[in-house]
Amino acid sequence: MSELPNPLSALGSAAGLPPGRLVTRDARRRLRRTRQEPVLWLSDGPVDAPAAAYPAPPGLRTVLLHDRHGPEEWWDTREFLRPEWTSAPDDHHVQPVLREFWEAVVPDPEEGREGEDLIAPFGRAWPGLAEAGRAREADPDAGADGLARQLIRDGSLGRPRLALVPAGRGADIPAAIGWAGPVNHENDTGRISAVLRSWEDRYGVRVLALGFATLDLYVPAPPRTLAEALPLAAEHFAFAPDNVCQGSGTVRDYAQEALIGSTHWSFWWD
């Protein structure tokens, strides 16, 4: 079966885009030959508007990349973008992926009361998926645009670049470029995108920006009560444990402080 053409390969000087270039990587070897395959298109300099403000040609998605934390211009270093190491999000189901993540980070029984407090009100067994968000923002496009502008304005994204990525849906952007941000927690970004797909379906999330090891999402349908937020906090702990362990301190506190009514989810991996 022949591969579908990469939409980046035919990308010329699309109207409405700033000056930019293709970022390429070695494609998989065929007939003992190595060829360069475009991974993403990147603006030459920083932009001052959300990615959604720029036109996305067919087959491509827009996102902001930034290097406020970590190595400068990490997208040009081969070890930080490895699409050839990434499985397809279609290969995974979110429930077993999050269960495996949870089992890998849940405290050992020997940690006693401190470990129990960290994940309370849950025990060490995977608590299952949270229910979908119910109340959605009236205009999610405007909400996502507003949050992205705020993050640019307050310096949270440093001096972000605009990127165009060949992806069928926003949740697949990290996997499509082989983003290595969560590598110390999970080295297959296809599994990360599988979780993002589920959050996209349940909460309407949109991938706004990727840093060296950070991820910013807009959330049109966040949980509104502690009861709704707690099982979602367990998912976040499994997905990015540093958010809890080096942030709020417990799953319960994280649910209260970071999730109830919050349209901005920000993740980082140490």
Side-chain angles (χ1 to χ4, degrees), residues 47-67:
V47 295
D48 58 5
Y54 298 92
L60 300 175
R61 294 275 176 172
T62 56
V63 69
L64 296 177
L65 302 185
H66 68 93
D67 55 5

Side-chain angles (χ1 to χ4, degrees), residues 47-51 64 147-158 160:
V47 295
D48 58 5
L64 296 177
L147 175 58
R149 290 183 186 278
Q150 175 187 326
L151 295 176
I152 294 171
R153 188 170 53 249
D154 68 18
S156 297
L157 305 182

Side-chain angles (χ1 to χ4, degrees), residues 82-223:
R82 299 301 295 264
E84 70 274 16
W85 287 6
T86 300
S87 64
D90 284 339
D91 293 342
H92 308 287
H93 296 285
V94 65
Q95 183 84 263
V97 167
L98 279 174
R99 181 186 294 112
E100 287 181 30
F101 286 175
W102 172 269
E103 292 172 350
V105 299
V106 72
D108 189 277
E110 294 181 359
E111 295 186 37
R113 183 70 182 181
E114 184 177 352
E116 293 173 1
D117 289 344
L118 172 65
I119 57 175
F122 306 107
R124 291 181 171 81
W126 164 238
L129 295 182
E131 293 184 4
R134 286 182 266 181
R136 300 213 170 199
E137 295 282 326
D139 189 346
D141 290 336
D145 183 90
L147 175 58
R149 290 183 186 278
Q150 175 187 326
L151 295 176
I152 294 171
R153 188 170 53 249
D154 68 18
S156 297
L157 305 182
R159 292 163 55 82
R161 306 279 192 96
L162 173 68
L164 299 179
V165 177
R169 53 192 290 182
D172 291 352
I173 288 173
I177 65 175
W179 177 59
V183 68
N184 289 337
H185 177 57
E186 171 57 50
N187 62 9
D188 182 356
T189 317
R191 284 156 58 88
I192 296 295
S193 281
V195 177
L196 294 179
R197 281 184 171 193
S198 179
W199 289 343
E200 194 174 73
D201 294 338
R202 285 182 285 152
Y203 303 99
V205 302
R206 304 188 181 189
V207 177
L208 297 183
L210 293 171
F212 170 66
T214 61
L215 168 65
D216 286 280
L217 307 177
Y218 171 69
V219 190

